[in-house]
Coordinates of all heavy atoms in Angstrom, one line a residue:
M612 N 3.2 -2.7 -13.9 CA 3.4 -1.4 -13.6 C 4.4 -1.3 -12.4 O 4.2 -2.1 -11.5 CB 2.0 -0.6 -13.3 CG 2.2 0.9 -13.1 SD 0.6 1.6 -12.7 CE -0.1 1.9 -14.4
A613 N 5.2 -0.4 -12.4 CA 6.1 -0.2 -11.4 C 5.5 0.3 -10.0 O 4.5 0.9 -10.0 CB 7.2 0.8 -11.7
I614 N 6.1 0.0 -9.0 CA 5.6 0.3 -7.6 C 6.0 1.8 -7.5 O 7.2 2.1 -7.7 CB 6.2 -0.6 -6.6 CG1 5.6 -2.0 -6.7 CG2 5.9 0.0 -5.1 CD1 6.1 -3.0 -5.6
V615 N 5.1 2.6 -6.9 CA 5.4 3.9 -6.7 C 5.9 4.1 -5.2 O 5.2 3.7 -4.3 CB 4.0 4.8 -6.9 CG1 4.3 6.2 -6.6 CG2 3.5 4.6 -8.2
K616 N 7.1 4.8 -5.1 CA 7.5 5.0 -3.7 C 6.9 6.3 -3.2 O 7.0 7.3 -3.8 CB 9.0 5.2 -3.6 CG 9.8 3.9 -4.1 CD 11.1 4.0 -3.5 CE 12.0 2.9 -3.9 NZ 11.5 1.5 -3.5
L617 N 6.1 6.0 -2.1 CA 5.2 7.1 -1.6 C 5.9 7.7 -0.5 O 6.6 7.1 0.5 CB 3.8 6.7 -1.2 CG 3.1 6.0 -2.3 CD1 1.9 5.3 -1.9 CD2 2.7 7.2 -3.3
N618 N 5.8 9.1 -0.2 CA 6.1 9.7 1.0 C 5.2 10.9 1.3 O 4.2 11.1 0.7 CB 7.6 10.4 0.7 CG 7.6 11.2 -0.5 OD1 6.9 12.1 -0.7 ND2 8.5 11.0 -1.2
D619 N 5.5 11.7 2.3 CA 4.6 12.7 2.7 C 4.3 13.8 1.7 O 3.4 14.4 1.6 CB 5.3 13.4 4.0 CG 5.4 12.6 5.2 OD1 4.6 11.7 5.4 OD2 6.4 12.7 5.9
N620 N 5.3 13.9 0.8 CA 5.3 15.0 -0.3 C 4.4 14.6 -1.6 O 3.7 15.3 -2.1 CB 6.5 15.5 -0.8 CG 7.5 16.0 0.4 OD1 6.8 16.8 1.2 ND2 8.8 15.7 0.4
N621 N 4.5 13.3 -1.9 CA 3.8 12.9 -3.2 C 2.6 12.2 -3.1 O 1.9 11.8 -4.0 CB 4.8 12.2 -4.1 CG 5.2 10.8 -3.7 OD1 4.8 10.4 -2.6 ND2 5.9 10.0 -4.3
F622 N 2.2 11.8 -1.8 CA 1.0 11.0 -1.6 C -0.4 11.5 -2.2 O -1.1 10.8 -2.8 CB 0.8 10.7 -0.2 CG -0.2 9.6 0.2 CD1 0.1 8.3 0.1 CD2 -1.5 10.0 0.4 CE1 -0.7 7.3 0.3 CE2 -2.5 8.9 0.7 CZ -2.1 7.5 0.5
E623 N -0.5 12.9 -2.0 CA -1.7 13.5 -2.6 C -1.8 13.3 -4.1 O -2.9 12.9 -4.6 CB -1.7 14.9 -2.3 CG -2.0 15.4 -0.8 CD -3.4 15.0 -0.4 OE1 -4.3 15.1 -1.0 OE2 -3.5 14.5 0.8
N624 N -0.8 13.6 -4.8 CA -0.8 13.5 -6.2 C -0.8 12.1 -6.9 O -1.5 11.8 -7.7 CB 0.4 14.1 -6.9 CG 0.5 15.7 -6.7 OD1 -0.7 16.3 -6.6 ND2 1.6 16.3 -6.8
E625 N -0.1 11.1 -6.0 CA 0.0 9.8 -6.5 C -1.1 8.9 -6.2 O -1.5 7.8 -6.8 CB 1.3 9.1 -6.1 CG 2.5 9.7 -6.6 CD 2.7 9.6 -8.0 OE1 2.2 8.7 -8.7 OE2 3.5 10.3 -8.6
V626 N -1.9 9.1 -5.2 CA -3.1 8.3 -4.7 C -4.3 9.1 -4.5 O -5.3 8.7 -5.1 CB -2.6 7.7 -3.3 CG1 -3.8 6.8 -2.7 CG2 -1.4 6.8 -3.4
I627 N -4.4 10.1 -3.7 CA -5.7 10.8 -3.4 C -6.2 11.5 -4.6 O -7.4 11.4 -4.8 CB -5.4 11.8 -2.2 CG1 -4.8 11.2 -0.9 CG2 -6.7 12.6 -2.0 CD1 -5.8 10.2 -0.4
A628 N -5.5 12.1 -5.6 CA -5.9 12.8 -6.6 C -6.3 11.8 -7.8 O -6.8 12.4 -8.8 CB -4.9 13.9 -7.1
K629 N -5.9 10.7 -7.7 CA -6.1 9.7 -8.9 C -7.5 8.9 -8.8 O -7.9 8.7 -7.7 CB -5.0 8.6 -8.9 CG -3.6 9.2 -9.0 CD -3.1 9.3 -10.4 CE -1.9 10.0 -10.6 NZ -0.8 9.3 -11.0
K630 N -8.0 8.7 -10.0 CA -9.3 8.0 -10.1 C -8.9 6.5 -10.1 O -7.7 6.1 -10.6 CB -10.0 8.3 -11.4 CG -10.6 9.7 -11.3 CD -11.9 9.7 -10.5 CE -12.5 11.1 -10.6 NZ -13.2 11.3 -9.3
G631 N -9.8 5.7 -9.7 CA -9.5 4.2 -9.7 C -9.0 3.7 -8.4 O -9.2 4.3 -7.3
T632 N -8.4 2.4 -8.5 CA -8.0 1.7 -7.2 C -6.6 2.0 -7.0 O -5.8 1.8 -8.0 CB -8.3 0.3 -7.4 OG1 -9.8 0.3 -7.6 CG2 -8.0 -0.5 -6.1
A633 N -6.2 2.1 -5.7 CA -4.8 2.1 -5.4 C -4.6 1.2 -4.1 O -5.4 1.2 -3.2 CB -4.4 3.6 -5.0
L634 N -3.5 0.4 -4.2 CA -3.1 -0.4 -3.0 C -1.8 0.2 -2.5 O -0.9 0.3 -3.3 CB -2.7 -1.9 -3.5 CG -2.3 -2.8 -2.5 CD1 -3.3 -3.1 -1.3 CD2 -2.0 -4.1 -3.1
V635 N -1.9 0.5 -1.1 CA -0.8 1.2 -0.5 C -0.3 0.2 0.5 O -1.0 -0.1 1.4 CB -1.1 2.7 0.0 CG1 0.2 3.2 0.7 CG2 -1.5 3.5 -1.1
D636 N 1.1 -0.1 0.5 CA 1.7 -0.9 1.5 C 2.4 0.0 2.4 O 3.5 0.6 2.1 CB 2.6 -1.9 0.7 CG 3.4 -2.8 1.8 OD1 3.2 -2.8 2.9 OD2 4.4 -3.4 1.3
F637 N 2.1 0.1 3.6 CA 2.9 0.8 4.7 C 3.7 -0.3 5.3 O 3.2 -1.3 5.9 CB 1.9 1.4 5.8 CG 1.2 2.7 5.3 CD1 -0.1 2.5 4.6 CD2 1.7 3.9 5.4 CE1 -0.8 3.6 4.1 CE2 1.0 5.0 5.0 CZ -0.3 4.8 4.4
Y638 N 5.1 0.0 5.3 CA 6.0 -1.1 5.8 C 7.2 -0.3 6.3 O 7.3 0.8 6.4 CB 6.5 -1.8 4.6 CG 7.4 -1.0 3.6 CD1 8.9 -1.3 3.7 CD2 7.0 0.0 2.8 CE1 9.8 -0.6 3.0 CE2 7.9 0.6 2.0 CZ 9.3 0.4 2.2 OH 10.2 1.1 1.4
A639 N 8.2 -1.3 6.8 CA 9.5 -0.7 7.3 C 10.5 -1.9 7.0 O 10.3 -3.0 6.7 CB 9.4 -0.7 8.9
D640 N 11.7 -1.4 6.7 CA 12.7 -2.2 6.2 C 13.1 -3.3 7.2 O 13.6 -4.3 6.9 CB 14.1 -1.5 5.9 CG 13.9 -0.6 4.6 OD1 13.0 -1.0 3.8 OD2 14.5 0.5 4.5
W641 N 13.0 -3.0 8.5 CA 13.3 -3.9 9.6 C 12.2 -5.0 9.9 O 12.3 -5.8 10.9 CB 13.7 -3.1 10.8 CG 12.8 -2.0 11.2 CD1 12.9 -0.7 10.8 CD2 11.5 -2.3 11.9 NE1 11.8 0.0 11.3 CE2 10.9 -0.9 11.9 CE3 10.9 -3.3 12.5 CZ2 9.8 -0.7 12.6 CZ3 9.7 -3.1 13.2 CH2 9.1 -1.8 13.2
C642 N 11.1 -4.9 9.3 CA 10.0 -5.6 9.7 C 9.9 -6.9 8.9 O 9.8 -7.0 7.7 CB 8.6 -4.9 9.4 SG 7.1 -5.7 9.3
G643 N 9.9 -8.0 9.7 CA 9.9 -9.4 9.1 C 8.7 -9.7 8.3 O 8.8 -10.1 7.0
P644 N 7.5 -9.5 8.8 CA 6.3 -9.8 7.9 C 6.2 -8.9 6.6 O 5.7 -9.3 5.7 CB 5.1 -9.5 8.9 CG 5.8 -9.7 10.2 CD 7.1 -9.3 10.1
C645 N 6.8 -7.6 6.8 CA 6.9 -6.7 5.7 C 7.7 -7.3 4.6 O 7.4 -7.2 3.3 CB 7.4 -5.4 6.1 SG 6.3 -4.5 7.3
K646 N 8.8 -7.9 5.0 CA 9.7 -8.6 4.0 C 9.1 -9.7 3.3 O 9.4 -10.1 2.2 CB 11.1 -9.0 4.7 CG 11.9 -7.8 5.1 CD 13.2 -8.2 5.8 CE 13.9 -7.2 6.4 NZ 15.1 -7.6 7.1
M647 N 8.3 -10.4 4.2 CA 7.5 -11.6 3.5 C 6.5 -11.2 2.5 O 6.2 -11.9 1.5 CB 6.8 -12.5 4.7 CG 7.7 -13.2 5.6 SD 7.0 -13.8 7.1 CE 5.6 -14.6 6.4
I648 N 5.8 -10.0 2.8 CA 4.7 -9.6 1.8 C 5.3 -8.8 0.7 O 4.6 -8.7 -0.3 CB 3.7 -8.8 2.6 CG1 2.3 -9.0 2.0 CG2 4.0 -7.4 2.8 CD1 1.2 -8.5 2.8
A649 N 6.4 -8.4 0.8 CA 7.1 -7.5 -0.3 C 7.0 -8.2 -1.8 O 6.5 -7.6 -2.7 CB 8.4 -7.0 -0.1
P650 N 7.4 -9.5 -1.8 CA 7.3 -10.2 -3.3 C 5.8 -10.2 -3.8 O 5.7 -10.2 -4.9 CB 8.0 -11.5 -3.0 CG 8.6 -11.5 -1.6 CD 8.0 -10.4 -0.9
I651 N 5.0 -10.4 -2.9 CA 3.5 -10.5 -3.3 C 3.0 -9.1 -3.8 O 2.4 -9.1 -4.8 CB 2.6 -10.9 -2.0 CG1 3.0 -12.4 -1.6 CG2 1.2 -10.7 -2.4 CD1 2.4 -12.8 -0.4
I652 N 3.4 -8.1 -3.1 CA 3.1 -6.7 -3.6 C 3.7 -6.4 -5.0 O 3.1 -5.9 -5.8 CB 3.5 -5.6 -2.6 CG1 2.9 -5.9 -1.1 CG2 3.3 -4.2 -3.0 CD1 1.4 -5.9 -1.2
E653 N 4.9 -6.9 -5.1 CA 5.7 -6.7 -6.3 C 4.9 -7.4 -7.5 O 4.8 -6.9 -8.6 CB 7.1 -7.2 -6.3 CG 8.0 -6.1 -5.5 CD 9.3 -6.8 -5.1 OE1 9.8 -7.6 -5.9 OE2 9.9 -6.2 -4.3
K654 N 4.5 -8.7 -7.3 CA 3.8 -9.4 -8.2 C 2.4 -8.8 -8.6 O 2.0 -8.7 -9.8 CB 3.6 -10.9 -7.6 CG 4.5 -11.9 -7.9 CD 4.5 -12.3 -9.3 CE 5.1 -13.6 -9.6 NZ 5.7 -13.7 -11.0
I655 N 1.7 -8.3 -7.6 CA 0.4 -7.7 -7.9 C 0.6 -6.4 -8.8 O 0.0 -6.1 -9.7 CB -0.3 -7.2 -6.6 CG1 -0.7 -8.5 -5.7 CG2 -1.5 -6.4 -6.7 CD1 -1.2 -8.2 -4.4
A656 N 1.8 -5.7 -8.4 CA 2.1 -4.5 -9.3 C 2.4 -4.9 -10.8 O 2.0 -4.2 -11.7 CB 3.3 -3.8 -8.7
E657 N 3.1 -6.0 -10.9 CA 3.4 -6.6 -12.2 C 2.2 -7.0 -12.9 O 2.0 -6.8 -14.1 CB 4.4 -7.8 -12.2 CG 5.8 -7.4 -11.7 CD 6.6 -8.8 -11.6 OE1 6.1 -9.8 -12.2 OE2 7.7 -8.5 -11.0
E658 N 1.2 -7.7 -12.3 CA 0.1 -8.5 -13.0 C -1.1 -7.4 -13.2 O -2.0 -7.6 -14.0 CB -0.3 -9.5 -12.1 CG 0.8 -10.6 -12.0 CD 0.4 -11.7 -11.1 OE1 -0.7 -11.7 -10.4 OE2 1.2 -12.6 -11.0
R659 N -1.2 -6.3 -12.3 CA -2.4 -5.7 -12.4 C -2.2 -4.3 -12.8 O -2.0 -3.2 -12.0 CB -3.1 -5.5 -11.0 CG -3.8 -6.9 -10.4 CD -4.9 -7.3 -11.2 NE -5.9 -6.3 -11.0 CZ -7.0 -6.4 -10.2 NH1 -7.0 -7.4 -9.3 NH2 -7.9 -5.5 -10.2
S660 N -2.0 -4.0 -14.1 CA -1.7 -2.6 -14.6 C -3.0 -1.7 -14.4 O -2.8 -0.4 -14.5 CB -1.4 -2.8 -16.0 OG -2.4 -3.2 -16.7
D661 N -4.1 -2.2 -13.9 CA -5.2 -1.4 -13.8 C -5.3 -0.7 -12.5 O -6.2 0.2 -12.3 CB -6.6 -2.2 -13.9 CG -6.7 -3.3 -12.9 OD1 -5.5 -4.0 -12.8 OD2 -7.7 -3.7 -12.4
I662 N -4.4 -0.9 -11.5 CA -4.3 -0.2 -10.3 C -3.0 0.3 -10.0 O -2.0 -0.1 -10.6 CB -4.7 -1.3 -9.1 CG1 -3.6 -2.4 -9.0 CG2 -6.1 -1.9 -9.2 CD1 -3.7 -3.2 -7.7
I663 N -3.0 1.3 -9.1 CA -1.8 1.9 -8.6 C -1.3 1.2 -7.5 O -2.1 0.9 -6.5 CB -2.1 3.4 -8.2 CG1 -2.5 4.2 -9.4 CG2 -0.8 4.1 -7.7 CD1 -3.3 5.5 -9.1
V664 N -0.1 0.7 -7.5 CA 0.5 0.0 -6.3 C 1.6 0.9 -5.7 O 2.6 1.4 -6.4 CB 1.1 -1.3 -6.6 CG1 1.7 -2.0 -5.5 CG2 0.0 -2.3 -7.2
G665 N 1.5 1.2 -4.5 CA 2.6 2.1 -3.9 C 3.1 1.6 -2.5 O 2.4 0.7 -1.9
K666 N 4.3 1.9 -2.1 CA 4.9 1.5 -0.8 C 5.2 2.8 -0.2 O 5.8 3.7 -0.7 CB 6.0 0.7 -1.0 CG 5.6 -0.8 -1.6 CD 6.8 -1.6 -1.9 CE 7.4 -2.1 -0.6 NZ 7.0 -3.3 0.0
A667 N 4.9 2.9 1.1 CA 5.3 4.1 2.0 C 6.1 3.4 3.2 O 5.5 2.7 4.0 CB 4.1 4.8 2.5
N668 N 7.3 3.8 3.3 CA 8.1 3.4 4.5 C 7.8 4.3 5.7 O 7.9 5.4 5.5 CB 9.6 3.5 4.1 CG 10.5 2.9 5.1 OD1 10.2 3.1 6.3 ND2 11.7 2.5 4.8
V669 N 7.3 3.6 6.7 CA 6.8 4.3 7.8 C 7.9 5.2 8.6 O 7.6 6.1 9.3 CB 6.0 3.5 8.8 CG1 4.8 2.9 8.1 CG2 6.8 2.4 9.5
D670 N 9.1 4.6 8.4 CA 10.2 5.4 9.1 C 10.5 6.7 8.3 O 10.9 7.7 8.9 CB 11.5 4.5 9.1 CG 11.4 3.4 10.1 OD1 10.6 3.5 11.1 OD2 11.9 2.3 9.8
D671 N 10.3 6.7 7.0 CA 10.7 7.9 6.3 C 9.4 8.8 6.0 O 9.5 9.9 5.8 CB 11.1 7.5 4.8 CG 12.4 6.7 4.9 OD1 13.1 6.9 5.8 OD2 12.6 5.8 3.9
A672 N 8.2 8.1 6.1 CA 6.9 8.9 6.0 C 6.0 8.8 7.1 O 5.0 8.4 7.2 CB 6.1 8.4 4.7
S673 N 6.6 9.3 8.2 CA 5.9 9.2 9.6 C 4.7 10.0 9.6 O 3.6 9.6 10.3 CB 6.9 9.4 10.7 OG 7.4 10.8 10.5
E674 N 4.7 11.1 9.0 CA 3.4 12.0 8.9 C 2.3 11.3 8.2 O 1.2 11.3 8.7 CB 3.7 13.3 8.3 CG 4.6 14.3 9.1 CD 4.9 15.5 8.4 OE1 4.0 16.0 7.5 OE2 5.9 16.2 8.6
L675 N 2.6 10.7 7.2 CA 1.7 9.9 6.3 C 1.1 8.7 7.1 O 0.0 8.5 7.2 CB 2.4 9.4 5.1 CG 1.5 8.8 3.8 CD1 0.5 9.9 3.5 CD2 2.4 8.4 2.7
A676 N 2.0 8.1 7.8 CA 1.6 6.9 8.6 C 0.6 7.3 9.8 O -0.4 6.7 10.0 CB 2.7 6.1 9.3
A677 N 1.0 8.4 10.4 CA 0.1 9.0 11.5 C -1.2 9.5 10.9 O -2.2 9.3 11.5 CB 0.9 10.0 12.1
R678 N -1.2 10.1 9.7 CA -2.5 10.6 9.2 C -3.5 9.5 9.0 O -4.7 9.8 9.0 CB -2.0 11.2 7.7 CG -3.3 11.7 7.0 CD -2.8 12.3 5.7 NE -3.8 12.4 4.7 CZ -3.6 12.7 3.5 NH1 -2.5 13.1 3.0 NH2 -4.7 12.8 2.6
F679 N -3.0 8.3 8.6 CA -3.8 7.2 8.4 C -4.0 6.2 9.5 O -4.6 5.1 9.4 CB -3.4 6.4 7.0 CG -3.7 7.3 5.8 CD1 -2.8 8.0 5.2 CD2 -5.0 7.3 5.4 CE1 -3.2 8.7 4.1 CE2 -5.5 8.1 4.3 CZ -4.5 8.8 3.7
G680 N -3.4 6.6 10.6 CA -3.5 5.8 11.9 C -2.9 4.4 11.7 O -3.5 3.5 12.3
V681 N -1.9 4.3 11.0 CA -1.0 3.0 10.9 C -0.4 2.7 12.2 O 0.6 3.5 12.6 CB -0.1 3.1 9.7 CG1 0.8 1.8 9.5 CG2 -0.8 3.3 8.5
M682 N -0.8 1.7 12.9 CA -0.2 1.5 14.2 C 0.6 0.1 14.1 O 1.4 -0.1 14.9 CB -1.3 1.2 15.2 CG -2.1 2.4 15.4 SD -1.3 3.8 15.9 CE -1.2 3.8 17.6
S683 N 0.2 -0.7 13.1 CA 0.9 -2.0 12.9 C 1.4 -2.1 11.5 O 0.7 -1.6 10.7 CB 0.0 -3.2 13.2 OG -0.5 -3.1 14.5
I684 N 2.4 -2.9 11.2 CA 2.9 -3.0 9.9 C 3.2 -4.5 9.6 O 3.5 -5.2 10.5 CB 4.3 -2.1 9.6 CG1 5.3 -2.4 10.7 CG2 3.8 -0.6 9.4 CD1 6.6 -1.7 10.3
P685 N 2.9 -5.0 8.5 CA 2.5 -4.2 7.3 C 1.0 -3.9 7.3 O 0.2 -4.6 7.9 CB 2.7 -5.2 6.2 CG 2.7 -6.5 6.7 CD 3.2 -6.4 8.1
T686 N 0.7 -2.7 7.0 CA -0.8 -2.4 6.8 C -0.9 -2.0 5.4 O -0.2 -1.2 4.7 CB -1.1 -1.1 7.6 OG1 -1.0 -1.5 9.1 CG2 -2.5 -0.6 7.4
L687 N -1.8 -2.6 4.7 CA -2.3 -2.4 3.4 C -3.6 -1.6 3.2 O -4.5 -2.1 4.0 CB -2.4 -3.7 2.5 CG -1.3 -4.6 2.5 CD1 -1.6 -6.0 1.7 CD2 0.0 -4.1 1.9
I688 N -3.6 -0.6 2.7 CA -4.8 0.3 2.5 C -5.1 0.3 1.0 O -4.4 0.7 0.2 CB -4.6 1.7 3.1 CG1 -4.3 1.6 4.6 CG2 -6.0 2.4 2.9 CD1 -4.1 2.9 5.2
V689 N -6.4 0.0 0.7 CA -7.0 0.0 -0.5 C -7.8 1.3 -0.6 O -8.7 1.6 0.1 CB -8.0 -1.2 -0.8 CG1 -8.5 -1.0 -2.3 CG2 -7.1 -2.4 -0.7
F690 N -7.4 2.1 -1.6 CA -8.0 3.4 -1.9 C -8.9 3.2 -3.2 O -8.4 2.7 -4.2 CB -7.1 4.5 -2.1 CG -6.3 4.9 -0.8 CD1 -5.3 4.3 -0.4 CD2 -6.8 6.0 0.0 CE1 -4.6 4.6 0.7 CE2 -6.2 6.3 1.2 CZ -5.1 5.6 1.6
K691 N -10.2 3.7 -3.3 CA -11.0 3.7 -4.4 C -11.3 5.4 -4.7 O -11.8 6.0 -3.7 CB -12.3 3.0 -4.2 CG -12.1 1.6 -3.8 CD -12.1 0.8 -5.0 CE -12.0 -0.7 -4.6 NZ -12.1 -1.6 -5.5
D692 N -10.9 5.9 -5.8 CA -10.9 7.2 -6.2 C -10.5 8.2 -5.0 O -11.2 9.1 -4.7 CB -12.5 7.5 -6.5 CG -12.9 6.7 -7.8 OD1 -12.0 6.6 -8.6 OD2 -14.0 6.4 -7.9
G693 N -9.4 7.9 -4.4 CA -8.8 8.8 -3.4 C -9.3 8.5 -2.0 O -8.9 9.2 -1.1
K694 N -10.3 7.6 -1.8 CA -10.9 7.5 -0.4 C -10.5 6.0 0.1 O -10.6 5.1 -0.8 CB -12.4 7.7 -0.5 CG -12.8 9.0 -1.1 CD -13.8 9.7 -0.1 CE -14.3 10.9 -0.7 NZ -13.3 11.9 -1.2
E695 N -10.2 6.0 1.3 CA -9.9 4.6 1.9 C -11.2 3.7 1.8 O -12.3 4.1 2.2 CB -9.5 4.7 3.4 CG -9.1 3.4 4.0 CD -8.6 3.5 5.3 OE1 -8.0 4.5 5.8 OE2 -8.7 2.4 6.1
A696 N -11.0 2.5 1.2 CA -12.1 1.6 1.1 C -11.9 0.4 2.0 O -12.9 -0.1 2.5 CB -12.2 1.2 -0.4
K697 N -10.6 -0.1 2.1 CA -10.4 -1.3 2.8 C -9.0 -1.2 3.6 O -8.2 -0.5 3.0 CB -10.5 -2.6 2.0 CG -11.9 -2.8 1.5 CD -11.9 -4.1 0.7 CE -13.4 -4.2 0.1 NZ -13.5 -5.2 -0.9
R698 N -8.9 -2.0 4.7 CA -7.6 -1.9 5.3 C -7.3 -3.4 5.8 O -8.1 -4.1 6.1 CB -7.7 -1.2 6.6 CG -6.4 -0.9 7.3 CD -6.7 0.0 8.4 NE -6.7 1.4 7.9 CZ -6.0 2.4 8.3 NH1 -5.2 2.3 9.4 NH2 -6.2 3.6 7.9
I699 N -6.1 -3.8 5.4 CA -5.6 -5.2 5.6 C -4.3 -5.1 6.5 O -3.4 -4.3 6.3 CB -5.2 -6.0 4.4 CG1 -6.3 -5.9 3.4 CG2 -4.7 -7.4 4.7 CD1 -5.9 -6.4 2.0
I700 N -4.4 -5.6 7.7 CA -3.3 -5.5 8.7 C -2.6 -6.9 8.8 O -3.2 -7.8 9.1 CB -3.8 -5.0 10.0 CG1 -4.5 -3.6 9.9 CG2 -2.6 -4.9 11.1 CD1 -5.1 -2.9 11.1
G701 N -1.3 -6.9 8.7 CA -0.6 -8.1 8.7 C -0.4 -8.8 7.5 O -0.8 -8.4 6.5
Y702 N 0.4 -9.8 7.6 CA 0.7 -10.6 6.4 C -0.7 -11.3 5.8 O -1.5 -11.9 6.6 CB 1.7 -11.7 6.6 CG 2.0 -12.7 5.4 CD1 2.9 -12.2 4.5 CD2 1.4 -13.9 5.3 CE1 3.2 -13.1 3.4 CE2 1.6 -14.6 4.3 CZ 2.5 -14.3 3.3 OH 2.8 -15.1 2.1
R703 N -0.9 -11.4 4.5 CA -1.8 -12.1 3.9 C -1.4 -12.7 2.6 O -0.4 -12.2 1.9 CB -3.0 -11.1 3.5 CG -3.8 -10.6 4.6 CD -4.7 -11.4 5.3 NE -5.5 -11.0 6.1 CZ -5.2 -10.4 7.4 NH1 -4.0 -10.5 7.8 NH2 -6.1 -9.8 8.3
A704 N -1.9 -13.8 2.2 CA -1.5 -14.4 1.0 C -2.0 -13.5 -0.2 O -3.0 -12.7 -0.1 CB -2.3 -15.8 0.9
K705 N -1.5 -13.7 -1.4 CA -1.7 -12.9 -2.5 C -3.2 -13.0 -2.9 O -4.0 -12.0 -3.2 CB -0.9 -13.6 -3.6 CG -1.2 -12.8 -5.0 CD -0.4 -13.4 -6.2 CE -0.8 -12.8 -7.4 NZ -0.1 -13.6 -8.6
E706 N -3.9 -14.2 -2.8 CA -5.3 -14.4 -3.2 C -6.1 -13.5 -2.3 O -7.1 -12.9 -2.7 CB -5.7 -15.8 -3.1 CG -5.0 -16.6 -4.2 CD -3.5 -17.0 -3.8 OE1 -3.1 -16.9 -2.7 OE2 -2.9 -17.3 -4.9
A707 N -5.8 -13.5 -1.0 CA -6.6 -12.7 0.0 C -6.5 -11.2 -0.3 O -7.6 -10.4 -0.1 CB -6.1 -13.0 1.3
I708 N -5.2 -10.8 -0.7 CA -5.1 -9.3 -1.1 C -6.0 -9.0 -2.3 O -6.6 -7.9 -2.3 CB -3.6 -8.9 -1.2 CG1 -3.0 -9.2 0.1 CG2 -3.4 -7.6 -1.7 CD1 -1.4 -9.2 0.0
L709 N -5.8 -9.8 -3.3 CA -6.5 -9.7 -4.7 C -8.0 -9.5 -4.5 O -8.7 -8.8 -5.0 CB -6.2 -10.7 -5.6 CG -4.7 -10.6 -6.2 CD1 -4.4 -11.9 -7.1 CD2 -4.5 -9.3 -7.0
A710 N -8.6 -10.4 -3.5 CA -10.0 -10.4 -3.1 C -10.5 -9.1 -2.7 O -11.6 -8.6 -2.8 CB -10.3 -11.6 -2.3
E711 N -9.5 -8.4 -1.9 CA -9.9 -7.0 -1.5 C -9.9 -5.9 -2.4 O -10.4 -4.8 -2.1 CB -8.9 -6.7 -0.2 CG -9.1 -7.8 0.9 CD -10.4 -7.7 1.6 OE1 -11.2 -6.8 1.6 OE2 -10.8 -8.7 2.2
L712 N -9.3 -6.1 -3.6 CA -9.1 -5.1 -4.5 C -10.3 -5.0 -5.4 O -10.5 -3.8 -5.9 CB -8.0 -5.4 -5.5 CG -6.5 -5.3 -4.7 CD1 -5.6 -5.8 -5.7 CD2 -6.2 -4.0 -4.1
D713 N -11.2 -5.9 -5.5 CA -12.4 -5.8 -6.5 C -13.6 -5.5 -5.8 O -13.7 -5.4 -4.6 CB -12.4 -7.1 -7.1 CG -11.3 -7.5 -8.0 OD1 -10.7 -6.5 -8.6 OD2 -10.8 -8.6 -8.0

């Protein structure tokens, strides 16, 4: 499944209003660890069609980042049925991220 580009305008419809699991990557283009984790997020999106995978650029979606208290990037937030379930801050290996989804 393709990665959904998230922003202040579409977050409610793409994540909060959806049933099931969503993985949201809060990142910035200039962030080194964000660049390192990006291919992992893309792989998860390709392999797990059962979840929504989204990316929110904190520079473009500052209201969204503030709403969820994102202070460090990358921050990955796992949503279950529109509610925050888990939060991963910093770089993690693919297996560690996948373990947080189930």
Side-chain angles (χ1 to χ4, degrees):
M612 187 178 276
I614 293 176
V615 180
K616 293 208 182 301
L617 299 168
N618 56 49
D619 298 325
N620 298 322
N621 71 354
F622 192 82
E623 287 294 322
N624 289 336
E625 297 292 344
V626 177
I627 301 300
K629 301 270 172 120
K630 291 283 182 211
T632 302
L634 173 66
V635 179
D636 175 17
F637 288 88
Y638 75 101
D640 292 332
W641 47 264
C642 164
C645 298
K646 290 178 185 174
M647 290 170 48
I648 208 168
I651 295 170
I652 301 301
E653 288 170 21
K654 269 287 201 213
I655 292 171
E657 286 173 21
E658 295 171 2
R659 295 287 303 265
S660 60
D661 59 317
I662 64 170
I663 298 161
V664 179
K666 292 178 71 86
N668 185 324
V669 297
D670 291 330
D671 299 333
S673 55
E674 287 177 29
L675 194 55
R678 173 177 165 188
F679 289 99
V681 174
M682 304 301 274
S683 303
I684 49 173
T686 292
L687 305 177
I688 301 180
V689 178
F690 291 86
K691 303 267 185 177
D692 295 331
K694 305 228 180 320
E695 182 176 335
K697 297 184 180 164
R698 186 175 286 232
I699 306 162
I700 299 172
Y702 176 85
R703 293 286 187 286
K705 179 181 169 193
E706 293 74 26
I708 297 168
L709 288 173
E711 298 295 336
L712 294 175
D713 299 320

